[in-house]
Amino acid sequence: KAGVTQTPRYLIKTRGQQVTLSCSPISGHRSVSWYQQTPGQGLQFLFEYFSETQRNKGNFPGRFSGRQFSNSRSEMNVSTLELGDSALYLCASRLAGDTDTQYFGPGTRLTVL
Amino acid sequence: AQSVTQLGSHVSVSEGALVLLRCNYSSSVPPYLFWYVQYPNQGLQLLLKYTTGATLVKGINGFEAEFKKSETSFHLTKPSAHMSDAAEYFCAVSPFSGGYQKVTFGTGTKLQVIP
């Protein structure tokens, strides 16, 4: 089975712009979670989607949003980019259950100038 | 509320020596516990996880961890370090939530293996 894929792998944007990141989960996985990783804050949970519904959300401002499509693919959007949004954004998928293993993608490295 | 504390942001060991990475957690409900490894420019890979049952958990690449409820610890060990073990390791906790996960990660420990 193919692993979790994220596109693009690298992205450079300027302050005030918006960006959309994409995540394709492992085939059959219905849950997709997003994380932000920075040197200062470490790994922080953004949100989780399951069957096109957001069922959990971390402590991030409303500029961060996401959605999931019927094929379980997910997108994350960040509007009005700030310098502090520069980070590695990781997507993880799992089958569905509480004890199911999360499989992570390689991440999208976002740089905001 | 839940939290994870990883003691030591950097740990150095000699090749062939014991690897011990420390993790303490706080959780108001029974936790699920995880160890992940991250190699440069890559995502996270699950090493092992504790959900219920046996408190000594064996994972991939020769790693294991023991859940000690009384000490609220979940330390990661490996009897003999290999050069390929050099990476960053993350401990994580998730509440037993009956349907969804909200994983909290520790700040990570970078393991250096000295030849």
Side-chain angles (χ1 to χ4, degrees):
Chain A
K1 264 187 184 176
V4 178
T5 59
Q6 292 187 246
T7 56
R9 290 292 312 276
Y10 301 91
L11 205 50
I12 300 175
K13 292 285 187 179
T14 56
R15 279 183 300 173
Q17 288 186 308
Q18 76 166 20
V19 67
T20 299
L21 312 181
S22 180
C23 172
S24 293
I26 292 172
S27 177
H29 286 194
R30 298 168 63 192
S31 165
V32 173
S33 295
W34 288 89
Y35 296 85
Q36 182 195 65
Q37 185 177 25
T38 60
Q41 300 296 318
L43 274 155
Q44 294 185 284
F45 172 78
L46 280 155
F47 28 65
E48 180 191 11
Y49 286 86
F50 179 80
S51 293
E52 302 179 65
T53 301
Q54 186 184 93
R55 66 178 181 182
N56 211 348
K57 190 177 189 304
N59 297 321
F60 278 82
R63 299 186 297 107
F64 292 82
S65 63
R67 59 178 176 169
Q68 187 180 33
F69 302 95
S70 58
N71 62 358
S72 294
R73 189 177 70 84
S74 177
E75 287 182 347
M76 191 192 93
N77 185 274
V78 188
S79 63
T80 319
L81 284 166
E82 301 177 0
L83 295 178
D85 297 333
S86 295
L88 180 67
Y89 290 89
L90 293 165
C91 164
S93 76
R94 60 190 175 98
L95 276 171
D98 224 11
T99 59
D100 290 334
T101 297
Q102 282 195 106
Y103 293 89
F104 283 79
T108 294
R109 173 76 62 185
L110 172 64
T111 302
V112 182
L113 302 177
Chain B
Q2 57 193 26
S3 65
V4 175
T5 301
Q6 290 184 242
L7 296 174
S9 58
H10 291 81
V11 170
S12 294
V13 300
S14 297
E15 192 175 15
L18 171 72
V19 175
L20 170 61
L21 303 182
R22 299 178 186 273
C23 172
N24 288 88
Y25 71 90
S26 170
S27 179
S28 56
V29 298
Y32 293 161
L33 294 159
F34 310 83
W35 275 100
Y36 287 88
V37 61
Q38 186 177 33
Y39 297 98
N41 298 316
Q42 294 187 28
L44 277 68
Q45 180 183 13
L46 182 70
L47 282 175
L48 49 81
K49 65 180 180 182
Y50 168 79
T51 53
T52 58
T55 56
L56 181 62
V57 181
K58 294 187 184 299
I60 62 172
N61 302 339
F63 285 94
E64 63 180 38
E66 187 172 9
F67 170 57
K68 292 187 176 181
K69 185 178 178 180
S70 61
E71 299 177 9
T72 61
S73 70
F74 191 58
H75 302 330
L76 182 71
T77 60
K78 182 174 180 178
S80 176
H82 295 166
M83 296 299 296
S84 61
D85 294 328
E88 190 161 18
Y89 293 79
F90 293 90
C91 181
V93 62
S94 174
F96 178 75
S97 52
Y100 62 90
Q101 286 184 353
K102 187 173 181 178
V103 184
T104 300
F105 285 87
T107 51
T109 298
K110 286 187 177 174
L111 176 66
Q112 180 186 23
V113 182
I114 303 167

